[in-house]
Amino acid sequence: MSADTAYLLAIDQGTTSSRSMVFDAQGHVMAQAQKPLRQYYPQPGWVEHDPIEIWESQQQCMVQAMAQAGLKPDQIQAIGISNQRETMLLWERASGRPVHAAIVWQDRRSSGLCQHWREQGHEAMVQARTGLLLDPYFSGTKLAWLLQQEPALRSRAIKGELCFGTIDSWLIWQLTGKREHVIDRSNASRTLMMNLAGGQWDDAMLDLLDVPSAVLPRIVDSVLTSDELSPSSLGIPITGIAGDQQAALFGQAAIRPGMAKNTYGTGCFMLMHVGEQIRHSQHRLLSTCAWSGLPQQVSTAINPKGESKALRRPGAMEYALEGSVFVAGAALQWLRDELGLIDKVQDSEAIAASVKDTSGCYLVPAFTGLGAPHWDAEARGVLVGITRGTNRAHLVRAALESIAFQSAEVLQAMNADGLQALRELRVDGGASANNWLMQFQADLLGVAVNRPSILESTALGAAQLAGLGAGVFDNVQACEGMRQTDRLFTPNISSDEAHARMGEWRKALNRARSSLSPGD
C-alpha cells in the first residue's frame, strides 16, 4: 500500500473520555469513536479512575472507529497513542490485575509528602534534575504515597512483582498481550523520576521518593520503528507515543522554537517549543520533554545523487516549557453537573454573550488547587463580587473568563522568563470551539489566537508520530503542512484595558490562595 492510501489509528485516552480516530495520510479524519470515562471522588481532593474501564472503553473505541472507517487491521499502517499524562497505575506483572485504582493527575493526596520534601530543601535539586516542581500533580509523588500507605505493595514492588506505569504504559501492556512494560520519554518526563537531560530514570529522585527501580517501565522514544515493540493484538505496530499535551504541540505543527499552543480541555496546558536545549523557568513553569526520536532530514554522502534522507535519531530529545492550569473546561462541567446552570457546555457561549460583563463577579476555580505559576495545592475555589443583581449569565461568563485569565497568567510567566515574544497562540481542545472565549483570550493576551480546522490536535499528533515511525511520512515537514487555520482571533481591546482586567482577576485570585509566595 502506498503512503497516499495509508491509514493511521490514533488512541487518545483522556481524563473524561476514551477516544479513537482513524486518519488518512493527508491528516483527514476518516472515523472516530468516543466513550465517557467515569470519575471517582473517594475523598475531598482525591480523584480516581477504574483501570479496567480505561482499557475496555479504549478497546471498544478502536474497534468502532475501524468499523466506521470500513477498514480492517491489516489496512492500518500504525497505531499512535496519546494519553492523560500524570495519572498512574500499579498492576501485577504476572496477572495484569490492577492492585489499586488509577490515581488521576488532578488528585492531591500526596500534597503532604510534597510539603515535607519542600521543607527539607529538596525543590531546587528536583527542578534541576527533572525540570518539574514538588507537587502532587506528578505521578511519582502518587506512587510514593501509595507505597508508603501500603507496605505490602512496597514489598511486592521491590521483588519486581508489580508494574508501575502511566496510561500509555497500561495501554501498551494490554495491547501487546502483557509483553511490553514501557513508557515514552514525554510521559516519563512527567513522573518526577526521569532525568530531563539524560532521558533515563534518575537514581537521586528514586532515592528521594523511595521508589524501587524494579517497578519502573523501560523508557522508549516517542517515535519508534515498526519492530521496536511487540506487535499489538490487532497486528498493527505501535510506532508513536506521547503525552496528550506534547502530542497536541506536534499536531499543531509547533515544531520550531518559540511556537506555542494552548489546549482547552479539562484543564488548560500551554506549551512553548524551546528546541534541543532545556530551558529552566525562573517563574515556576515546567521544563519538559516534548518528544524524542524524531527523524531528521540529513544529507547522505553515500547517495551519489546528493539526495537527502530522513534518519531517526534514537534518544534525541526536544524540549518545551509548560504552564498547567488544573481547571478549565471542568469549571463549565461543574456549572452543568453540580449547579445545573447550563444544560450543555456548548450553551455557555450564547449565555456569556447575553450580558455585557460579569457585573464584578469573578470565579477562581481552584477546585484541586492552583497550577502554574502559583503551585498552591491547598488553594480552593472562590466566587467573589456577588450582589443581589448577580444572575446565571454573570456566573457562566465568569467561569469562561476564568479559563482565559489563568491562561494569560501562564503566558505572562513565559514572557517574564525572557522567551521570545509570542506572535500567535495556537489553540485546540473542546473549549476552543467557543468563539466568545477565544476572542476574550486574544484580548487578554494581546496576540492573535489561531484555531485550526481540526480541533483534535492531540489525536492528530499521535497519528503523525506513528506515521513518522512507520515510514508513512518521510520527515517532520510532511506533517507540518497538514495544519490548516479555521479562524484567527485578533485583540479588540487596548493593552491598558487588558492589564486592568488582569489586575481585578488577581485580587480575586488572592482570595483563593492558601498563602502568598514571594513574587505573587
Side-chain angles (χ1 to χ4, degrees):
M1 181 177 290
S2 69
D4 289 341
T5 55
Y7 300 99
L8 300 163
L9 175 62
I11 292 174
D12 181 11
Q13 204 297 303
T15 308
T16 58
S17 70
S18 295
R19 178 168 57 175
S20 291
M21 300 182 70
V22 177
F23 293 88
D24 66 15
Q26 290 72 47
H28 301 132
V29 178
M30 306 300 295
Q32 62 176 311
Q34 187 168 356
K35 288 188 174 296
L37 189 64
R38 185 175 176 184
Q39 312 294 302
Y40 296 88
Y41 307 100
Q43 293 187 35
W46 292 26
V47 190
E48 295 179 348
H49 287 161
D50 179 351
I52 301 301
E53 183 186 357
I54 289 174
W55 164 239
E56 291 180 347
S57 63
Q58 196 63 70
Q59 195 174 30
Q60 292 165 9
C61 289
M62 288 187 290
V63 172
Q64 290 176 13
M66 287 188 291
Q68 187 185 127
L71 297 172
K72 297 179 179 179
D74 62 4
Q75 294 175 282
I76 296 175
Q77 274 56 57
I79 291 174
I81 297 173
S82 67
N83 58 282
Q84 49 168 318
R85 298 174 298 174
E86 295 81 9
T87 298
M88 59 79 56
L89 305 93
L90 200 62
W91 66 91
E92 291 180 338
R93 190 177 299 275
S95 69
R97 181 182 65 86
V99 297
H100 194 274
I103 303 179
V104 179
W105 59 271
Q106 298 163 313
D107 190 282
R108 314 306 284 171
R109 71 185 69 185
S110 57
S111 59
L113 279 176
C114 294
Q115 181 61 28
H116 172 69
W117 291 320
R118 279 194 296 268
E119 291 172 353
Q120 289 185 324
H122 292 299
E123 187 153 75
M125 180 273 286
V126 169
Q127 185 172 20
R129 301 184 83 91
T130 70
L132 309 178
L133 301 169
L134 282 169
D135 190 86
Y137 178 31
F138 304 110
S139 49
T141 72
K142 305 176 195 300
L143 176 60
W145 179 92
L146 184 56
L147 296 181
Q148 185 182 91
Q149 295 295 312
E150 301 283 349
L153 293 182
R154 173 176 296 283
S155 177
R156 298 188 67 189
I158 292 171
K159 296 175 184 176
E161 296 176 2
L162 302 180
C163 296
F164 159 81
T166 47
I167 297 298
D168 60 318
S169 309
W170 175 241
L171 294 177
I172 293 168
W173 174 267
Q174 297 288 351
L175 283 166
T176 61
K178 305 174 186 176
R179 292 190 296 273
E180 298 286 358
H181 181 208
V182 299
I183 184 173
D184 102 290
R185 280 193 176 83
S186 71
N187 280 293
S189 75
R190 311 297 296 185
T191 63
L192 211 70
M193 296 184 287
M194 189 189 90
N195 185 287
L196 191 58
Q200 296 297 333
W201 299 122
D202 187 290
D203 289 340
M205 288 306 306
L206 299 185
D207 288 343
L208 176 65
L209 300 179
D210 198 16
V211 168
S213 60
V215 79
L216 300 176
R218 174 170 60 96
I219 296 178
V220 298
D221 282 325
S222 310
V223 176
L224 303 158
T225 58
S226 298
D227 59 356
E228 286 188 69
L229 295 180
S230 302
S232 71
S233 56
L234 297 171
I236 309 170
I238 302 167
T239 58
I241 316 165
D244 51 9
Q245 303 311 320
Q246 290 95 325
L249 186 70
F250 196 85
Q252 285 275 27
I255 60 174
R256 296 186 179 85
M259 300 180 74
K261 71 88 194 176
N262 198 26
T263 296
Y264 297 79
T266 302
C268 271
F269 303 89
M270 188 181 296
L271 274 73
M272 179 177 284
H273 191 286
V274 298
E276 297 186 8
Q277 299 296 320
I278 300 170
R279 183 68 179 259
H280 286 288
S281 172
Q282 302 301 312
H283 295 85
R284 299 182 68 75
L285 300 178
L286 307 176
S287 302
T288 195
C289 173
W291 42 70
S292 71
L294 284 187
Q296 182 185 39
Q297 192 77 6
V298 295
S299 296
T300 54
I302 300 173
N303 191 324
K305 297 180 181 180
E307 295 174 343
S308 295
K309 181 181 179 181
L311 298 177
R312 197 171 72 84
R313 299 181 296 160
M317 286 184 284
E318 296 179 33
Y319 298 96
L321 204 61
E322 174 174 342
S324 307
V325 170
F326 294 156
V327 175
L332 301 177
Q333 294 165 353
W334 175 69
L335 293 181
R336 180 194 65 195
D337 300 337
E338 309 305 330
L339 301 188
L341 293 183
I342 54 177
D343 294 326
K344 301 188 299 293
V345 167
Q346 293 83 351
D347 296 340
S348 62
E349 180 174 350
I351 295 171
S354 70
V355 290
K356 65 177 182 178
D357 54 37
T358 65
S359 190
C361 178
Y362 289 86
L363 170 67
V364 182
F367 304 149
T368 56
L370 289 169
H374 309 289
W375 296 105
D376 186 344
E378 304 305 320
R380 288 297 177 262
V382 298
L383 188 60
V384 301
I386 302 173
T387 68
R388 181 62 182 82
T390 302
N391 62 34
R392 165 176 172 259
H394 294 136
L395 295 181
V396 171
R397 182 165 176 144
L400 281 176
E401 286 191 356
S402 76
I403 299 172
F405 279 129
Q406 292 177 97
S407 295
E409 282 194 298
V410 171
L411 183 59
Q412 288 176 352
M414 287 184 175
N415 290 338
D417 273 327
L419 298 177
Q420 61 189 80
L422 192 69
R423 289 182 293 180
E424 70 171 21
L425 180 66
R426 299 188 169 191
V427 298
D428 55 57
S432 68
N434 187 308
N435 293 327
W436 187 91
L437 173 59
M438 292 300 98
Q439 182 58 58
F440 187 67
Q441 187 72 87
D443 290 344
L444 286 182
L445 297 179
V447 299
V449 168
N450 186 325
R451 186 173 67 195
S453 55
I454 297 178
L455 293 182
E456 297 83 4
S457 299
T458 298
L460 176 60
Q464 290 172 333
L465 292 171
L468 287 166
V472 173
F473 308 125
D474 291 334
N475 50 51
V476 172
Q477 289 68 35
C479 302
E480 189 177 14
M482 294 181 188
R483 187 192 187 279
Q484 302 295 320
T485 296
D486 166 60
R487 183 167 171 180
L488 195 69
F489 299 85
T490 56
N492 282 341
I493 66 174
S494 68
S495 59
D496 288 343
E497 184 177 349
H499 181 76
R501 292 190 180 187
M502 288 299 300
E504 292 302 312
W505 159 257
R506 289 193 181 93
K507 291 178 184 177
L509 180 75
N510 288 341
R511 302 282 189 92
R513 299 295 306 277
S514 62
S515 63
L516 297 182
S517 303
D520 282 341

